[in-house]
Amino acid sequence: MKKFSICFISFFFLFFMSMVNFMMMIYFIMNNMVIFLEWEVITLNSVSVVMSILLDWMSLLFMMFVLLISSVVIYYSKSYMSSELNLNRFIILVLLFVFSMILLIISPNIVSILLGWDGLGLVSYCLVIYYQNFKSYNAGMLTALSNRVGDVFILMVISWMLNYGSWNYIFYLMFMKNDYEMYMISSLIIIAAMTKSAQIPFSSWLPAAMAAPTPVSALVHSSTLVTAGVYLLIRFNLLLIDMLFLKILLLLSGLTMFMAGISANYEFDLKKIIALSTLSQLGLMMSILSMGMPDLAFFHLLTHAMFKALLFMCAGVIIHMMNDTQDIRLMGGISNYIPMTSLCMNISNLALCGIPFLAGFYSKDLILEMVSLSNLNLLIYYIYYLSTGLTMFYTIRLIMYLMVNDYNLMSIYNLYDEDYTMLKSMMVLLFMSVISGSMLSWMIFLNPYMIYLPLNMKMMVVYVSLLGGFIGYFVSNMMIYSMNKFLMTYNISSFLCLMWFMPSLSTYGLNYYFLKLGQNLLKYIDLGWSELYSGQGMYYILKNYSIFYNFYQVNNFKIYLFSFVMWMMILYYFMLMKF
Amino acid sequence: MMKFMFMIIFMIPLCFKKNMFWLVQNLMMLMMFMFMNLNISIYYNTNLSYMFSCDIMSFGLILLSIWICMLMLMASENLLKMGFYVNFFLLNMLFMLLMLYLTFSMMNLFMFYLFFEGSLIPTLLLIVGWGYQPERIQAGMYLLFYTLFASLPLLMGIFYIFNKSNNIMFYFLKFMSFDFYLLYFSMILAFLVKMPMYFVHLWLPKAHVEAPVSGSMILAGIMLKLGGYGLLRILILLEKLSLKLNFIWIIISLVGGFYISLKCFCQVDMKSLIAYSSVCHMGVVIGGIMTLNYWGFMGSYLLMIGHGLCSSGMFCLANINFERLNSRSLYINKGMMNFMPSMSLWWFLLMSSNMAAPPSLNLMGEISLINSLMSWSWLSMIMLMLISFFSAGYSLYLYSYTQHGKYYSGLYSFYTGVSREYLLLMLHWLPLNLMILKVDWVMIWF
Amino acid sequence: MNSNKMFFLFILFFSTLISISSNSWFGCWIGLEINLLSFIPLISHSTNLFSTEASLKYFLTQSIASINFIFSILMKMTLMKNFEMNNFISIMINSSLLMKMGSVPFHFWFPNISEGLSWFNNFLLMTWQKITPMILLSYYLNKNFIIIIMTLNTIIGAIGGLNQSSLRKLMTFSSINNLGWMLASILISENLWMFYLIMYSFLISIMCFFFQLLNMFFINQLFISNINYSIKMFLLINFLSLGGLPPFIGFFPKWILINFLLSMDFFIITFIFIMTSLIILFFYIRIIYSSFLFNYINLKWMKIFLKNKNLIFINFLSFLSITGMILSTLIFL
């Protein structure tokens, strides 16, 4: 029975589906085919809620990548989570996640996107709080609620799109571009995508979500969940060209890229560094999207998925070996002992930096060249190139800490690399992260881009990379006694290190006001004035009236009889007056 | 249609014998399936009898009431074990089912009122008779008096309509129109208190918390929908004034929904949280009905049915915890996933339906209601965004607090879920999430 | 029930017949006097101080009312020759009749006296003694005056009863409240009033019968759980019925009355009526809560025995109370 565990079955199934999608994708690109399946759920007043499936090359390609990564991750988690009692629950959650992602990818219809989007948010919540400690609980809440903000915006988009009579947005986006409603829709969609892809101001959930198990991070937080927002904007890009909001998105995503790069340099938690690098690359994807080049964003999305997943997997192996610590100050010199893993790590890191002819080079370099070619202001140009330099900076710093410096954990240790399950899965991704860049650039770009740049602008990439590398090397060599001047820069470094205070703002800054408002409402209205004007108040009024009445009821009999006689006298008097 | 009334009436003598609990429950299930075989149509009322009729709206709600009554019996096995006046409980249940059935199937506005009030009495008896805490006295009083205070003016309104138009059947009243402000307020307030709307919702948390599980289920499942049903029936004849004045109710219920979802975060009692979330959902429903849109009417009906199943299921879950731990407080009910992981699945499914996650009926209902409210005024977007967001917030709060983390260290012994409880929860969840495949049966009622 | 009582009871019934079937005002007055005369022996027991005091008070109030009645009648005969309608004289006549009945604002004797009476006598006081004055009232009604009075009746009945713990006084205030409803029905038609009276008497008879059986006079006596379970349930249902909750039979008269009042466009009055009936319902429910819905310790030293024939009677009455409405729709269909 061991052969037929759920991990194996799902691995084979997903891998098979991935290959099927690959074949279909090539066929569809060659023949320029699109398959569109539709099933009507309900028609109400001439608006139809339909469940549609759109299979064109973009969705098939993305599906192929998602299925490949997820199959490899499931295979990997067979060994990574082997000591977990509830492994079946975990795998089923991962499969649910993949299913939601696929629903998102194949939907040309905003209602079925909502299905996938909501599903993604909820299942990622379940996955993040898989380990039951306080950190996971808080991280899960942050993740779920940040994603929920996006959900809410998509709900609003659904209701604004009611105006057009159909929720299949791909049909009318280009034609209705100048309407007021479309303007509203596009703003809402952009904000929704920003929450999912963790741009500023919603970026606090991504580093916090590292409380999830590493396979989850590899699948969810590197390639699938966070790219859902980018994918949504790619689908909507016909709508978004030449919009004002897109300029704001450019600024925000650029700042995300920059901020994540800086914060990654201050971090000492391995997974957080990788998370922040994901955030930085997401910012890159969003910003190139907002400059009007969705193809490049898609390209970078796909290649990034490959090497980032690989990077997370390697991090998982390392964490396992380091007795479950994640602090890089305790690691060092592992390249001596675990050559295969450090090989994978190095290749993925170099692909991340954009070293020539690995996967990341094709997408990243093309992006930077297109950025240099387009007309933009100096600030954006600086942000792009500085972020590239920062990428190199933290990459080299990470490599130095992990592989070159001394081992700091324990005096007697055993680091082993022979977990073949995990290695096999990493090999697949290694292969893909080397060749996928070139493969994709030959397949999806039918006409190559014409790049014509002056020499220094072209070499600017090399300059900043080298600069970043050098600084990374120097920073990682700093000893403890050279840090005694650090308190002078305390304010600046806490600002930069704590992700520009966004986690605190998203949690403490918002929580307090709403919870306090809720408590005050409960105390003063529900248990206060509402009670006074209805139940308790009426009771007291009536009771007091009754007590007052009793004062007249309990009386001397003579007074009563006398009052009756007086009444009769008064009537008699009036009557006589009348006559 | 009368045959079902007689079926319920002739089940009453069964209550006086011993060991009839499960027989009555199975007969109710049988009645449910028999009822599904009736012919129904969108365009007219079918199955006419003396005063009974059946169109899709009443059909769906009667189905829901039979279903929930049946599930109530399944959930109250604790009463059977302890022997707490089982016969009287069965009698109460049958009386309630009879009243609800008659309410929804009457063609006559006055008869509807009669049984609408009549269904209060078994609820009151349930709360005060089988509740757990001394606060149930106040809860019963609040329930009775809030509802009666608003519905006696409804009686006056009904007689006014009767005197003016000399008939009182729904079908003929559709062609009348009344222009009298007092009439409008007196007729609408009754249903708004029942729904409940924000300022007059105080009875609901009290009644839900103090009731036993069967009382909570029927309250959340059907009694709130009586208000919705009434509104959907009578707004047609108050159309002229509704167009002028409905904005009041929409504003109160939307802003109130936001406030209530904030108040949910401050609750310590599980049942109280679920009760407040009911008020929040019903606030959106009221908003949708009051816009007088087609989307609003359809969506509110759908959300009523979905909410009935979902809230009722959540109360069952709260009771499952209560039976084991004898407390409803969140400080004690935590970390349940360590003991009952399968129950966590049901918590998650029902909680996700509560926050309108796909593919539940709640999602479709909320989408329809958001559509109708936004088409009424785009400014409602702000409140709707806040309500949706916070409803996800408190649902997740409830789920993660009860399921994840370390369990209460004062626990002594525990038994995991029994199949009856799983069956109960599945029967709540299955219609809720699978009906989305044929949602036009529960959505389009005229 | 000994033969004395039967004799005086017979004369009581006969006196009402005299009063309502006479064609002269004098005959009415004669009937009223005989009524007073025959009721006093029914009430007073020489051994019980309370009932003696009650009978004395009753005699005083009713005789003053009768004297005023005859005085107003004579004045009417003298000054107006029995043909015109004069406001003041009609108010005088109505006032004296209202005092006979125990209606606001002349009702202060009513709770006082009922404290000294047994349950059967209370029942007579609350139902039978209203017939004659009501019918006489309908002969010479002053509409505006009666409208004010009936509104006041309902309000005072509700508010006065809120703070009571004696069952007799409570029933009295509820009787004053229902008197308001009955006055409203007299305004509309005599048939309607008769219907209301019959329904009300039916309900009150069940209540008085129950309390007589259980020998209970105060609310805290109802806490005994030794009472048979079905008795408690019937008590619950009958109180709810008396309060006017559908679907019990007590709702029936109120329904009909509200219908007719609204057809005459008495909106505010109807609103006041129904709101005060809510208050009355509140204290009914307060009573039955204590007795029925809580579990108390079983007292071993106090047991209540019920004879079998009483049980059958109780069952039948309560069955009628529960299903009366539905059965009546079958009859009047």
Side-chain angles (χ1 to χ4, degrees):
Chain A
M1 270 327 265
K2 215 171 147 202
K3 278 290 180 197
F4 296 116
S5 71
I6 189 169
C7 294
F8 275 116
I9 296 177
S10 37
F11 163 68
F12 278 121
F13 178 67
L14 290 175
F15 196 75
F16 174 67
M17 290 304 295
S18 168
M19 290 299 121
V20 163
N21 276 329
F22 182 56
M23 302 300 162
M24 282 173 73
M25 185 264 299
I26 295 181
Y27 184 72
F28 276 37
I29 280 190
M30 290 301 164
N31 297 330
N32 210 9
M33 256 176 66
V34 170
I35 291 186
F36 198 103
L37 302 167
E38 212 178 62
W39 174 57
E40 177 193 322
V41 177
I42 184 174
T43 303
L44 197 73
N45 255 359
S46 82
V47 173
S48 303
V49 177
V50 293
M51 176 70 204
S52 339
I53 296 182
L54 170 74
L55 298 174
D56 67 343
W57 68 269
M58 205 192 281
S59 57
L60 285 171
L61 185 59
F62 198 11
M63 267 209 292
M64 173 213 153
F65 271 73
V66 165
L67 288 169
L68 182 66
I69 296 181
S70 56
S71 62
V72 160
V73 160
I74 290 182
Y75 191 67
Y76 171 87
S77 63
K78 175 166 171 48
S79 150
Y80 187 84
M81 312 271 294
S82 57
S83 60
E84 172 75 32
L85 279 178
N86 296 315
L87 184 58
N88 289 338
R89 187 200 297 171
F90 181 74
I91 299 292
I92 290 177
L93 280 173
V94 173
L95 285 175
L96 261 180
F97 181 84
V98 173
F99 178 64
S100 309
M101 188 70 198
I102 290 181
L103 262 183
L104 181 75
I105 295 174
I106 59 178
S107 312
N109 180 352
I110 195 83
V111 176
S112 42
I113 281 189
L114 182 70
L115 251 79
W117 195 274
D118 258 333
L120 280 181
L122 272 182
V123 182
S124 71
Y125 169 73
C126 282
L127 285 171
V128 168
I129 60 172
Y130 191 76
Y131 292 146
Q132 298 179 29
N133 44 22
F134 278 122
K135 190 152 171 269
S136 299
Y137 174 72
N138 292 324
M141 267 304 181
L142 192 51
T143 306
L145 291 177
S146 303
N147 281 323
R148 185 70 191 171
V149 176
D151 290 349
V152 164
F153 279 106
I154 299 234
L155 276 175
M156 293 302 132
V157 166
I158 288 181
S159 80
W160 278 100
M161 270 189 177
L162 187 64
N163 191 32
Y164 293 103
S166 153
W167 282 307
N168 285 328
Y169 58 86
I170 55 171
F171 291 145
Y172 54 79
L173 276 184
M174 199 154 59
F175 303 107
M176 305 282 182
K177 244 171 41 170
N178 296 321
D179 281 351
Y180 171 69
E181 285 87 11
M182 268 307 179
Y183 186 72
M184 202 67 189
I185 291 176
S186 49
S187 329
L188 291 172
I189 284 277
I190 289 178
I191 301 182
M194 276 166 65
T195 64
K196 203 67 151 187
S197 297
Q199 306 300 306
I200 289 178
F202 303 108
S203 9
S204 44
W205 69 268
L206 190 52
M210 291 300 122
T214 314
V216 170
S217 300
L219 179 59
V220 171
H221 301 120
S222 66
S223 36
T224 43
L225 179 68
V226 294
T227 54
V230 184
Y231 183 72
L232 187 70
L233 284 184
I234 293 174
R235 282 283 188 211
F236 269 79
N237 78 300
L238 288 171
L239 176 62
L240 300 172
I241 301 179
D242 296 331
M243 251 193 69
L244 167 67
F245 216 83
L246 223 50
K247 312 282 187 296
I248 303 178
L249 181 63
L250 176 61
L251 181 66
L252 286 175
S253 49
L255 281 175
T256 311
M257 193 165 53
F258 188 59
M259 170 208 67
I262 291 187
S263 301
N265 288 315
Y266 281 91
E267 276 293 337
F268 287 108
D269 184 346
L270 178 62
K271 284 175 78 173
K272 276 224 168 62
I273 297 180
I274 306 180
L276 287 166
S277 99
T278 309
L279 190 55
S280 176
Q281 298 302 307
L282 278 176
L284 179 66
M285 287 181 230
M286 277 290 202
S287 52
I288 195 67
L289 187 67
S290 60
M291 301 246 289
M293 289 173 253
D295 299 333
L296 295 183
F298 191 56
F299 186 23
H300 191 59
L301 195 158
L302 295 171
T303 53
H304 168 261
M306 284 294 147
F307 53 75
K308 199 45 73 74
L310 178 61
L311 194 54
F312 267 112
M313 285 182 172
C314 300
V317 173
I318 295 174
I319 290 172
H320 253 17
M321 284 192 321
M322 294 288 155
N323 201 12
D324 297 332
T325 59
Q326 296 178 336
D327 199 338
I328 57 175
R329 293 171 289 198
L330 298 173
M331 307 175 189
I334 57 176
S335 57
N336 295 325
Y337 305 103
I338 45 171
M340 288 300 289
T341 309
S342 50
L343 169 75
C344 297
M345 187 132 209
N346 276 328
I347 290 185
S348 60
N349 268 326
L350 295 177
L352 172 63
C353 297
I355 298 298
F357 307 117
L358 290 174
F361 165 73
Y362 287 91
S363 54
K364 212 164 167 197
D365 206 54
L366 188 56
I367 288 178
L368 287 171
E369 286 167 354
M370 294 304 289
V371 162
S372 312
L373 272 182
S374 57
N375 53 342
L376 32 70
N377 55 0
L378 201 56
L379 176 68
I380 303 290
Y381 188 78
Y382 273 164
I383 286 181
Y384 268 101
Y385 280 92
L386 281 177
S387 309
T388 315
L390 283 171
T391 309
M392 195 67 172
F393 179 0
Y394 61 70
T395 307
I396 296 294
R397 175 177 174 263
L398 184 65
I399 292 179
M400 293 294 291
Y401 265 97
L402 278 181
M403 301 188 195
V404 174
N405 288 342
D406 300 326
Y407 186 76
N408 287 332
L409 185 61
M410 290 182 273
S411 24
I412 299 182
Y413 50 91
N414 176 22
L415 302 174
Y416 70 99
D417 202 5
E418 286 124 30
D419 197 332
Y420 289 119
T421 312
M422 292 205 264
L423 269 182
K424 274 187 245 181
S425 42
M426 290 197 295
M427 284 303 128
V428 174
L429 282 184
L430 182 67
F431 176 68
M432 286 303 287
S433 84
V434 170
I435 68 159
S436 66
S438 40
M439 177 182 86
L440 282 176
S441 73
W442 295 326
M443 276 200 301
I444 60 181
F445 291 117
L446 300 174
N447 306 318
Y449 283 91
M450 167 68 182
I451 311 285
Y452 187 77
L453 284 170
L455 179 65
N456 274 339
M457 282 183 85
K458 177 68 189 154
M459 293 303 282
M460 186 62 85
V461 183
V462 180
Y463 297 153
V464 291
S465 304
L466 283 176
L467 190 63
F470 271 126
I471 301 180
Y473 172 72
F474 282 128
V475 159
S476 57
N477 271 337
M478 278 194 294
M479 298 291 174
I480 192 71
Y481 50 75
S482 63
M483 295 188 188
N484 54 2
K485 294 260 190 195
F486 268 7
L487 276 180
M488 280 170 57
T489 59
Y490 180 68
N491 285 337
I492 296 273
S493 44
S494 59
F495 174 66
L496 294 174
C497 146
L498 290 174
M499 278 174 65
W500 296 359
F501 299 133
M502 263 187 305
S504 318
L505 280 177
S506 308
T507 49
Y508 297 129
L510 289 182
N511 269 357
Y512 177 71
Y513 295 109
F514 283 109
L515 285 177
K516 196 78 181 146
L517 180 63
Q519 185 198 20
N520 281 341
L521 285 172
L522 195 63
K523 205 160 78 154
Y524 296 125
I525 297 187
D526 246 22
L527 299 172
W529 290 101
S530 292
E531 288 276 356
L532 187 67
Y533 281 130
S534 49
Q536 305 293 331
M538 287 302 295
Y539 176 69
Y540 281 117
I541 289 176
L542 286 172
K543 188 170 66 103
N544 287 335
Y545 282 173
S546 178
I547 294 175
F548 173 71
Y549 165 76
N550 246 340
F551 176 66
Y552 287 102
Q553 170 70 31
V554 181
N555 232 332
N556 208 339
F557 211 62
K558 283 192 294 198
I559 299 178
Y560 164 67
L561 292 177
F562 183 63
S563 65
F564 180 69
V565 171
M566 280 307 294
W567 169 247
M568 283 296 170
M569 295 290 218
I570 293 172
L571 281 178
Y572 184 48
Y573 172 73
F574 276 117
M575 190 209 63
L576 279 182
M577 283 301 109
K578 193 151 188 255
F579 279 93
Chain B
M1 287 291 284
M2 238 167 85
K3 55 190 179 215
F4 296 106
M5 180 180 98
F6 277 113
M7 182 165 178
I8 302 174
I9 291 180
F10 288 130
M11 278 205 267
I12 291 182
L14 271 185
C15 305
F16 295 113
K17 300 177 55 157
K18 282 198 200 311
N19 294 329
M20 283 290 142
F21 195 78
W22 297 117
L23 180 62
V24 171
Q25 193 242 343
N26 282 326
L27 282 175
M28 280 190 194
M29 179 103 90
L30 180 66
M31 187 160 79
M32 167 89 179
F33 290 114
M34 277 166 58
F35 196 79
M36 281 201 233
N37 284 329
L38 287 178
N39 287 324
I40 47 174
S41 153
I42 306 180
Y43 303 107
Y44 36 78
N45 294 359
T46 53
N47 291 309
L48 295 171
S49 178
Y50 279 88
M51 289 175 292
F52 301 88
S53 79
C54 184
D55 65 340
I56 295 202
M57 173 160 61
S58 45
F59 179 75
L61 285 169
I62 296 178
L63 271 181
L64 185 65
S65 54
I66 302 178
W67 194 240
I68 301 262
C69 282
M70 191 265 294
L71 291 175
M72 271 159 85
L73 284 180
M74 207 192 287
S76 309
E77 201 217 1
N78 205 20
L79 282 175
L80 185 64
K81 272 194 297 194
M82 300 286 175
F84 283 153
Y85 302 104
V86 177
N87 290 340
F88 191 48
F89 181 75
L90 279 178
L91 187 64
N92 218 352
M93 202 66 58
L94 284 173
F95 189 55
M96 169 94 80
L97 182 58
L98 181 67
M99 289 291 126
L100 288 171
Y101 176 80
L102 289 172
T103 310
F104 288 123
S105 55
M106 285 288 147
M107 284 198 291
N108 200 344
L109 190 54
F110 173 72
M111 284 304 193
F112 159 71
Y113 172 79
L114 192 71
F115 296 115
F116 172 80
E117 294 296 319
S119 60
L120 272 180
I121 294 181
T123 316
L124 177 70
L125 287 176
L126 265 184
I127 292 180
V128 187
W130 284 274
Y132 306 120
Q133 291 173 309
E135 286 85 4
R136 69 193 198 265
I137 314 172
Q138 197 192 33
M141 283 294 191
Y142 264 64
L143 166 73
L144 197 64
F145 285 95
Y146 260 85
T147 315
L148 278 179
F149 181 76
S151 66
L152 284 173
L154 172 67
L155 183 64
M156 285 175 64
I158 291 176
F159 283 129
Y160 178 80
I161 295 178
F162 178 58
N163 286 325
K164 286 280 175 290
S165 54
N166 284 326
N167 73 308
I168 199 123
M169 313 278 269
F170 288 127
Y171 194 74
F172 299 118
L173 287 178
K174 279 196 273 201
F175 308 108
M176 304 276 314
S177 171
F178 289 95
D179 203 1
F180 189 16
Y181 275 81
L182 272 183
L183 178 72
Y184 172 74
F185 279 109
S186 63
M187 294 199 69
I188 295 226
L189 261 168
F191 300 117
L192 287 177
V193 167
K194 195 81 174 164
M195 280 296 279
M197 197 179 67
Y198 174 53
F199 282 118
V200 289
H201 69 285
L202 289 176
W203 62 274
L204 188 101
K206 293 193 166 64
H208 271 120
V209 169
E210 305 303 332
V213 62
S214 39
S216 291
M217 282 167 75
I218 197 74
L219 269 173
I222 284 288
M223 304 292 278
L224 304 187
K225 314 327 183 241
L226 281 173
Y229 175 79
L231 272 180
L232 289 173
R233 288 279 193 215
I234 64 163
L235 269 180
I236 303 172
L237 44 100
L238 296 169
E239 197 179 323
K240 207 161 158 208
L241 273 180
S242 320
L243 286 171
K244 264 205 225 173
L245 291 175
N246 270 348
F247 71 95
I248 308 175
W249 317 120
I250 299 181
I251 292 173
I252 294 179
S253 47
L254 278 183
V255 177
F258 167 53
Y259 284 165
I260 288 195
S261 41
L262 282 183
K263 286 180 207 177
C264 278
F265 283 105
C266 304
Q267 301 297 329
V268 169
D269 192 339
M270 280 196 291
K271 270 182 144 178
S272 183
L273 213 156
I274 303 173
Y276 272 108
S277 92
S278 284
V279 182
C280 182
H281 284 293
M282 285 295 127
V284 183
V285 169
I286 294 177
I289 297 180
M290 292 295 178
T291 56
L292 301 176
N293 281 335
Y294 192 70
W295 274 101
F297 270 33
M298 301 300 138
S300 63
Y301 181 64
L302 188 60
L303 190 57
M304 287 202 297
I305 292 194
H307 170 262
L309 289 166
C310 183
S311 276
S312 169
M314 289 180 81
F315 277 116
C316 288
L317 280 168
N319 183 57
I320 288 174
N321 272 355
F322 178 80
E323 278 176 6
R324 288 156 174 76
L325 296 164
N326 270 334
S327 162
R328 295 188 303 260
S329 159
L330 276 178
Y331 295 128
I332 298 184
N333 283 301
K334 55 189 179 90
M336 286 292 119
M337 207 197 282
N338 298 317
F339 296 122
M340 298 193 282
S342 308
M343 204 59 83
S344 293
L345 172 70
W346 293 109
W347 270 102
F348 184 73
L349 288 174
L350 283 170
M351 178 276 298
S352 71
S353 301
N354 195 22
M355 64 187 239
S360 59
L361 286 181
N362 279 355
L363 173 73
M364 197 64 213
E366 275 211 23
I367 288 181
S368 315
L369 287 173
I370 291 178
N371 283 340
S372 84
L373 279 164
M374 294 273 284
S375 66
W376 181 77
S377 154
W378 71 268
L379 282 171
S380 57
M381 185 163 89
I382 308 171
M383 282 301 143
L384 283 169
M385 285 205 281
L386 288 168
I387 292 179
S388 297
F389 177 67
F390 282 114
S391 72
Y394 61 70
S395 304
L396 283 175
Y397 168 60
L398 179 63
Y399 170 71
S400 61
Y401 216 101
T402 50
Q403 303 306 119
H404 287 267
K406 197 158 156 36
Y407 52 86
Y408 172 60
S409 54
L411 286 182
Y412 178 66
S413 68
F414 207 84
Y415 63 99
T416 56
V418 297
S419 355
R420 168 188 63 90
E421 291 163 351
Y422 289 126
L423 179 65
L424 181 66
L425 291 168
M426 192 185 75
L427 288 176
H428 275 113
W429 174 79
L430 213 59
L432 181 61
N433 274 26
L434 289 190
M435 292 275 267
I436 198 80
L437 295 172
K438 190 69 179 144
V439 75
D440 49 318
W441 277 0
V442 278
M443 193 156 165
I444 299 186
W445 55 272
F446 72 89
Chain C
M1 172 89 63
N2 51 6
S3 59
N4 273 341
K5 284 214 185 311
M6 293 218 330
F7 174 63
F8 284 117
L9 215 53
F10 174 69
I11 297 198
L12 188 72
F13 296 151
F14 203 53
S15 73
T16 310
L17 289 178
I18 293 176
S19 190
I20 61 185
S21 54
S22 78
N23 54 3
S24 145
W25 281 107
F26 264 115
C28 307
W29 176 71
I30 290 175
L32 282 176
E33 289 298 320
I34 300 180
N35 197 346
L36 172 63
L37 204 58
S38 59
F39 198 58
I40 297 293
L42 277 179
I43 299 178
S44 69
H45 300 280
S46 56
T47 51
N48 193 351
L49 198 60
F50 269 127
S51 49
T52 321
E53 178 189 339
S55 62
L56 190 63
K57 284 186 198 166
Y58 185 73
F59 176 72
L60 279 175
T61 55
Q62 298 279 310
S63 56
I64 287 187
S66 295
I67 287 182
N68 272 312
F69 181 64
I70 191 72
F71 176 63
S72 324
I73 288 174
L74 288 173
M75 198 174 305
K76 182 164 88 80
M77 191 180 75
T78 320
L79 292 177
M80 297 182 329
K81 302 178 179 34
N82 274 341
F83 282 125
E84 299 152 9
M85 186 66 186
N86 184 0
N87 257 343
F88 294 108
I89 296 195
S90 61
I91 292 184
M92 284 171 80
I93 296 184
N94 288 354
S95 301
S96 46
L97 286 171
L98 288 175
M99 185 160 175
K100 277 266 180 200
M101 282 199 287
S103 156
V104 160
F106 315 115
H107 67 288
F108 296 98
W109 58 271
F110 200 177
N112 257 324
I113 286 180
S114 71
E115 269 295 298
L117 266 49
S118 73
W119 277 110
F120 180 68
N121 291 332
N122 262 326
F123 170 62
L124 281 181
L125 186 59
M126 287 195 276
T127 57
W128 189 265
Q129 299 289 83
K130 310 276 194 271
I131 295 184
T132 315
M134 278 292 209
I135 295 186
L136 297 183
L137 204 59
S138 72
Y139 292 158
Y140 202 51
L141 202 60
N142 185 347
K143 189 164 158 225
N144 295 327
F145 182 62
I146 293 293
I147 288 180
I148 301 174
I149 294 295
M150 72 191 184
T151 320
L152 275 177
N153 256 329
T154 47
I155 297 177
I156 296 288
I159 292 189
L162 202 52
N163 207 10
Q164 304 294 341
S165 67
S166 158
L167 277 175
R168 284 176 289 196
K169 274 207 178 129
L170 238 139
M171 282 292 143
T172 310
F173 278 108
S174 119
S175 172
I176 294 177
N177 191 16
N178 278 304
L179 194 59
W181 287 82
M182 279 199 257
L183 284 172
S185 64
I186 279 268
L187 275 182
I188 299 172
S189 107
E190 195 169 311
N191 249 339
L192 186 61
W193 164 73
M194 209 162 348
F195 170 69
Y196 194 98
L197 183 71
I198 292 176
M199 289 281 128
Y200 175 66
S201 312
F202 171 68
L203 290 168
I204 289 286
S205 70
I206 304 180
M207 301 314 303
C208 292
F209 183 67
F210 268 125
F211 290 134
Q212 171 88 323
L213 215 55
L214 300 170
N215 205 20
M216 294 199 169
F217 299 106
F218 293 95
I219 298 186
N220 54 2
Q221 285 178 320
L222 285 171
F223 292 177
I224 303 170
S225 68
N226 248 331
I227 309 175
N228 195 0
Y229 174 64
S230 54
I231 301 280
K232 280 194 181 179
M233 192 176 82
F234 289 139
L235 206 63
L236 161 77
I237 291 185
N238 287 314
F239 257 120
L240 287 178
S241 182
L242 193 60
L245 273 188
F248 301 123
I249 206 170
F251 178 64
F252 204 0
K254 295 206 161 84
W255 154 20
I256 305 275
L257 196 52
I258 294 179
N259 194 1
F260 280 107
L261 278 176
L262 282 176
S263 71
M264 292 172 52
D265 289 340
F266 280 153
F267 295 127
I268 301 185
I269 294 176
T270 319
F271 184 69
I272 296 179
F273 274 18
I274 58 184
M275 286 303 140
T276 49
S277 78
L278 265 186
I279 303 178
I280 295 262
L281 184 67
F282 170 69
F283 60 73
Y284 286 158
I285 293 191
R286 213 171 46 178
I287 302 175
I288 57 179
Y289 258 7
S290 326
S291 69
F292 174 65
L293 294 165
F294 303 149
N295 260 333
Y296 281 94
I297 313 171
N298 266 325
L299 295 172
K300 284 204 195 257
W301 47 267
M302 187 165 164
K303 287 199 183 288
I304 299 193
F305 292 108
L306 290 171
K307 304 199 178 86
N308 265 338
K309 65 175 180 278
N310 287 331
L311 211 58
I312 295 176
F313 192 47
I314 292 169
N315 283 342
F316 174 67
L317 283 181
S318 299
F319 171 74
L320 214 52
S321 177
I322 299 171
T323 58
M325 284 254 285
I326 304 174
L327 289 178
S328 67
T329 60
L330 294 177
I331 298 174
F332 293 116
L333 204 60

